[in-house]
Amino acid sequence: QKEVEQNSGPLSVPEGAIASLNCTYSDRGSQSFFWYRQYSGKSPELIMFIYSNGDKEDGRFTAQLNKASQYVSLLIRDSQPSDSATYLCAVAWAGYALNFGKGTSLLVTP
Amino acid sequence: GAVVSQHPSWVICKSGTSVKIECRSLDFQATTMFWYRQFPKQSLMLMATSNEGSKATYEQGVEKDKFLINHASLTLSTLTVTSAHPEDSSFYICSATPRVRGGETQYFGPGTRLLVL
């Protein structure tokens, strides 16, 4: 059973702070890792993906992957109220469908 | 790039009728398309996976005779909810994976809200 675990939250951070979202996965063979954002009432949108251990930065977002510890995280710098959403972690083994976590709700307060 | 559309965005129908939802990849060919359902304040639930030209694979608990999936081309998949009932009211979302080597990235459509009266 391939599990992807996320804390459901809500995670509350003040505007301008760094939001840190975490995700753990059970399948050591997982090779691709994705973060999606879903606003209430909308469909998920891809934020970024990461394949290799370490950090990957894209604007205010940084994905961090540690395959040995089987976790992937997403950091959001300078959090804005517009970042308030549910963040979905997804994990895949090469060529296979994504396994989604249940999502972490983030609330950025002004 | 990697745009997925869905049509219609909203459907209201009477109980017992059938509803067809289209999912199109607009600027890429999709190896695989996925259909999800999401109830209010709940997480995404994968219903089925479809590959062009072959039968869809349904998740456990999803009735394949009720939720008919046709993946006629590399850019179009349809979901038909047959004999819809109020409990089928939900947010239906499709996603598509580009036809590239090692591609697992799923791009989501905007979703279709179904309300069955």
Side-chain angles (χ1 to χ4, degrees), chain A residues 51-63:
Chain A
Y51 297 136
S52 304
N53 274 329
D55 296 359
K56 180 181 178 182
E57 188 174 314
D58 184 358
R60 294 188 297 114
F61 299 99
T62 298

Side-chain angles (χ1 to χ4, degrees), chain B:
Chain B
V3 178
V4 178
S5 70
Q6 274 184 251
H7 178 79
S9 55
W10 261 104
V11 181
I12 302 175
C13 68
K14 293 182 179 180
S15 184
T17 60
S18 294
V19 175
K20 180 185 280 189
I21 302 170
E22 289 188 352
C23 176
R24 293 182 184 272
S25 56
L26 297 185
D27 53 359
F28 66 95
Q29 292 184 328
T31 308
T32 307
M33 289 184 167
F34 303 86
W35 287 96
Y36 294 84
R37 181 166 54 180
Q38 189 172 36
F39 294 105
K41 299 191 184 301
Q42 295 190 22
S43 56
L44 286 173
M45 290 174 43
L46 179 64
M47 299 176 67
T49 302
S50 75
N51 293 292
E52 182 261 344
S54 59
K55 290 184 179 180
T57 301
Y58 291 81
E59 295 300 301
Q60 192 171 11
V62 177
E63 301 174 58
K64 61 181 180 181
D65 293 332
K66 180 171 183 61
F67 299 100
L68 301 179
I69 292 173
N70 185 288
H71 195 154
S73 75
L74 284 171
T75 59
L76 173 65
S77 176
T78 59
L79 168 68
T80 301
V81 183
T82 62
S83 186
H85 289 94
E87 58 267 29
D88 297 323
S89 299
S90 189
F91 189 35
Y92 291 86
I93 312 172
C94 73
S95 69
T97 298
R99 195 182 188 190
V100 295
R101 181 178 176 182
E104 302 101 3
T105 306
Q106 289 185 29
Y107 297 93
F108 285 85
T112 297
R113 293 203 178 279
L114 171 63
L115 177 61
V116 185
L117 302 176

Side-chain angles (χ1 to χ4, degrees), chain A residues 16-64:
Chain A
I18 297 175
S20 178
L21 303 158
N22 300 312
C23 171
T24 60
Y25 58 95
S26 62
D27 183 11
R28 283 197 171 274
S30 300
Q31 298 189 357
S32 309
F33 307 87
F34 302 80
W35 283 100
Y36 288 82
R37 175 174 63 195
Q38 186 176 25
Y39 290 110
S40 180
K42 301 293 185 182
S43 65
E45 56 179 326
L46 179 68
I47 298 175
M48 62 191 305
F49 54 84
I50 185 168
Y51 297 136
S52 304
N53 274 329
D55 296 359
K56 180 181 178 182
E57 188 174 314
D58 184 358
R60 294 188 297 114
F61 299 99
T62 298
Q64 298 176 318

